[in-house]
Amino acid sequence: MDVRYYSDDSARMPFGILVKSISSQVPQPWAWLVAAEIRIRCMFGKKRRPPYGVGFPGTERVVSPSDLPAPAIARWAPILEQLRDLGFEQLKCEIAQIVGVKLSCSVTLLDRPGSTVAILEWSRLNGPGGMVEITPLELDSYREDAPDIVTGVVRKIHVPTAGMIKLDSVEMINLDNTRPLAQRYQEHRNRCQGKTVKQLTINGALEIIRDRAQTRFDGLLKSGILRELNPQEIEELRQADLTELKNF
């Protein structure tokens, strides 16, 4: 099966959202200037070359924990310990299908009540000063006929990005990761109070998780925030030098 790859489309992204996205990597005054340059280039048909493309949902490769990159295991260790103390059980580990300068993998867990899914990611990609590693955590509680409740636990600089993209299928906020994870988990559960959320089981959770991931992906694609890369872009990304990316 041929893999289709996708990237964010700065030409379709509202200017304010574009500035917020860039400001997570460079100081605010420079973020505005960079965003303005990108928008002007797009007006003249010169789209920003994406640094990477991510495969569509379902292309991820499920692996055993021992097959994960060593830096991911090391950075996840204290977070996974806290999640296990809170009663979360591991469902799967997977490595994302990516072309270009990025590595990404994730581990998915479910709490004992079956009401909250935790998705812990690790990504290594090019930042302003070289390669950076990030480990965002997402807490999801699914609803039947209403938006899912999503709480991101991220670096403080990335907290504003929760408001960047509006999807009908989710109610999302971001909280910074400077507080104990037990506190953030409780805050997520507080958001669920008075709302009916699905109770998942270890055996049946993965199918529902895949379904909701597809719904969100379709929403991003429809909004124009995501776009499919063309064959030329994919081939150029395949030629990218990955030496620094894979130099742990």
Side-chain angles (χ1 to χ4, degrees), residues 40-67:
I40 291 170
R41 288 173 63 87
C42 289
M43 289 172 61
F44 288 93
K46 297 181 179 180
K47 287 187 177 182
R48 176 180 63 94
R49 175 183 170 180
Y52 57 83
V54 181
F56 56 89
T59 60
E60 305 87 358
R61 178 165 56 94
V62 177
V63 298
S64 67
S66 60
D67 292 329

Side-chain angles (χ1 to χ4, degrees), residues 7-219:
S7 179
D8 61 90
D9 188 353
S10 53
R12 295 286 302 276
M13 194 177 292
F15 188 75
I17 291 178
L18 183 59
V19 172
K20 281 185 178 181
S21 176
I22 297 170
S23 66
S24 67
Q25 303 179 49
V26 301
Q28 182 69 30
W30 289 106
W32 194 94
L33 292 173
V34 172
E37 180 187 4
I38 290 174
R39 182 64 84 243
I40 291 170
R41 288 173 63 87
C42 289
M43 289 172 61
F44 288 93
K46 297 181 179 180
K47 287 187 177 182
R48 176 180 63 94
R49 175 183 170 180
Y52 57 83
V54 181
F56 56 89
T59 60
E60 305 87 358
R61 178 165 56 94
V62 177
V63 298
S64 67
S66 60
D67 292 329
L68 292 166
I73 296 172
R75 286 182 173 268
W76 282 349
I79 305 171
L80 288 175
E81 182 178 3
Q82 294 180 71
L83 286 170
R84 291 183 183 118
D85 287 344
L86 292 169
F88 281 84
E89 297 181 55
Q90 185 172 304
L91 297 178
K92 66 172 178 175
C93 297
E94 59 188 16
I95 296 177
Q97 183 79 27
I98 295 177
V99 62
V101 188
K102 183 180 181 180
L103 295 175
S104 186
C105 57
S106 65
V107 57
T108 302
L109 309 94
L110 180 67
D111 68 355
R112 284 190 184 138
S115 59
T116 302
V117 171
I119 302 174
L120 177 60
E121 299 182 12
W122 170 84
S123 292
R124 180 174 168 84
L125 65 164
N126 204 6
M131 290 296 155
V132 297
E133 295 178 31
I134 56 175
T135 53
L137 172 67
E138 182 180 295
L139 301 174
D140 290 7
S141 292
Y142 303 131
R143 304 173 70 191
E144 196 64 61
D145 297 312
D148 297 332
I149 302 166
V150 179
T151 304
V153 183
V154 298
R155 293 174 57 195
K156 192 171 184 178
I157 195 172
H158 294 142
V159 168
T161 61
M164 286 171 46
I165 300 171
K166 302 295 185 183
L167 293 176
D168 293 338
S169 59
V170 298
E171 293 178 2
M172 181 173 183
I173 67 169
N174 275 349
L175 303 173
D176 69 78
N177 60 9
T178 59
R179 299 287 184 179
L181 188 49
Q183 178 178 332
R184 296 314 192 198
Y185 175 50
Q186 185 58 53
E187 288 172 297
H188 175 79
R189 296 185 69 179
N190 290 345
R191 295 182 63 209
C192 298
Q193 286 186 358
K195 301 173 182 177
T196 302
V197 300
K198 296 178 72 69
Q199 302 298 301
L200 309 180
T201 64
I202 292 293
N203 294 328
L206 290 178
E207 182 178 355
I208 296 172
I209 294 169
R210 282 192 297 267
D211 177 70
R212 298 308 169 96
Q214 184 68 54
T215 297
R216 295 176 196 178
F217 174 83
D218 292 342

